[in-house]
Amino acid sequence: MLEGKTGLVFGVANKRSIAWAIAQALAREGMRLAFTYQGERLKESVGALAETVDGALLLPCDVTNDAEIDAVVREVDEKFGRLDTLIHSVAFAPREDLENEFVKTSRDGFKTAHDISAYSLVVLTRAALPLFEKSGGGSVVALTYYGAEKAVEGYNVMGVAKASLEACVRYLAANLGPKNVRINAISAGPVNTLAARGIKGFTGMLHHHAERAPLRRNVELEEVGNAGLFLASPMSSGITGEVMFVDCGYNIIGL
Ligand code: NAP
């Protein structure tokens, strides 16, 4: 389905990462991929995964660093000459701001959470725009969580940053639709990843979701990967600005 197309994936930390699940689905359908890693610490582990994907590029990028973002886009332009898909699977908030009562959120923690988890979608999409234009359009997929809409215990400042991310999805979609660039988000149910372990009470959250979700289980990584494939592919060509839940139906339940 995606032969001849190219994708740029931000947010692989290890084989449990949602970004990796999406990347595997994209690669399975023939997309050529570039992966970024944040800092030397992750170079080896992300590199080992990237090596298993035919013709993949591996590039350093901290999404708060404009020079690194520019370098990634330059390299992708040089090696691929186009871009069809960008996967934004990146989020961070300082641990103390996740653990403290929400009212105690620090100014710096608030700024950091929004910079890395929401603003980065805007800056990465802008940087990729000239490459999307070479492809005649593009698809951007971001990852969000239900805590953007409802107050979820322990999610705190990350919920506020995700609300901002979801608004960025809509504004980017409205802005870039005329260029045939689509921007959507997947609101995934809880998945046991590195980032998720930073949330206090995460195991309880997993149990709660599995008990209440209509499908009576938690979502599988592969299911989030396949949803990413759908939003990245021409199968979703009429969809932009949406937040699509992939959560075994948890969000539809009232009482
Ligand atoms: P993950 O494997 O830990 O991925 C998070 C990624 O964000 C890591 O690769 C991390 O790199 C990267 N990152 C953090 N700060 C960065 C920066 N400044 N520059 C570049 N990359 C940075 O966890 P995940 O659960 O797959 O998270 C992926 C996305 O899914 C996030 O947006 C998350 O909020 C969202 N999500 C997760 C769940 C869940 O239950 N797991 C549910 C819904 C949505 P480092 O490891 O170096 O920090």
Side-chain angles (χ1 to χ4, degrees):
M1 189 155 53
L2 301 175
E3 288 295 340
K5 305 225 182 230
T6 65
L8 174 55
V9 181
F10 292 86
V12 176
N14 56 42
K15 66 178 192 324
R16 297 289 309 161
S17 294
I18 291 175
W20 179 240
I22 298 175
Q24 284 177 295
L26 297 175
R28 193 175 71 219
E29 294 298 329
M31 183 175 268
R32 190 165 175 212
L33 296 174
F35 294 92
T36 67
Y37 61 92
Q38 192 213 168
E40 286 303 304
R41 185 173 53 88
L42 283 183
K43 185 174 182 182
E44 214 174 297
S45 55
V46 182
L49 291 173
E51 265 176 23
T52 66
V53 176
D54 258 3
L57 291 183
L58 179 67
L59 307 162
C61 189
D62 180 326
V63 299
T64 62
N65 185 324
D66 290 330
E68 285 190 8
I69 294 171
D70 289 346
V72 164
V73 169
R74 263 201 314 278
E75 189 71 12
V76 171
D77 191 14
E78 213 169 273
K79 298 281 169 31
F80 292 174
R82 60 181 287 156
L83 190 66
D84 300 281
T85 292
L86 189 157
I87 306 297
H88 177 286
S89 190
V90 166
F92 176 80
R95 185 172 279 270
E96 56 277 20
D97 290 297
L98 285 172
E99 287 181 351
N100 274 343
E101 282 180 69
F102 179 68
V103 72
K104 292 183 180 157
T105 305
S106 67
R107 190 182 296 275
D108 276 351
F110 191 94
K111 275 189 196 164
T112 301
H114 283 72
D115 188 10
I116 297 178
S117 316
Y119 179 69
S120 60
L121 182 72
V122 180
V123 69
L124 293 178
T125 303
R126 181 168 71 237
L129 209 47
L131 294 184
F132 285 147
E133 282 175 351
K134 290 187 179 184
S135 300
S139 171
V140 179
V141 181
L143 270 301
T144 184
Y145 175 63
Y146 186 65
E149 289 182 20
K150 306 282 182 195
V152 171
E153 202 179 330
Y155 206 57
N156 295 341
V157 69
M158 188 50 78
V160 184
K162 290 297 192 193
S164 168
L165 177 77
E166 291 182 9
C168 289
V169 165
R170 290 184 286 273
Y171 276 90
L172 284 169
N175 187 179
L176 301 179
K179 293 185 190 295
N180 195 30
V181 176
R182 301 184 294 112
I183 297 96
N184 292 291
I186 294 171
S187 188
V191 182
N192 198 354
T193 62
L194 208 59
R197 275 177 236 138
I199 297 157
K200 208 162 94 186
F202 180 74
T203 309
M205 207 179 202
L206 275 176
H207 290 313
H208 173 79
H209 270 253
E211 264 168 29
R212 283 189 51 93
L215 297 182
R216 296 290 187 274
R217 62 176 177 84
N218 283 303
V219 74
E220 301 283 340
L221 265 173
E222 199 189 349
E223 294 173 317
V224 184
N226 286 337
L229 167 63
F230 168 68
L231 288 177
S233 79
M235 298 296 286
S236 60
S237 55
I239 302 175
T240 193
E242 289 295 335
V243 174
M244 185 172 90
F245 280 91
V246 183
D247 66 345
C248 297
Y250 177 86
N251 75 96
I252 62 141
I253 296 297
L255 259 188

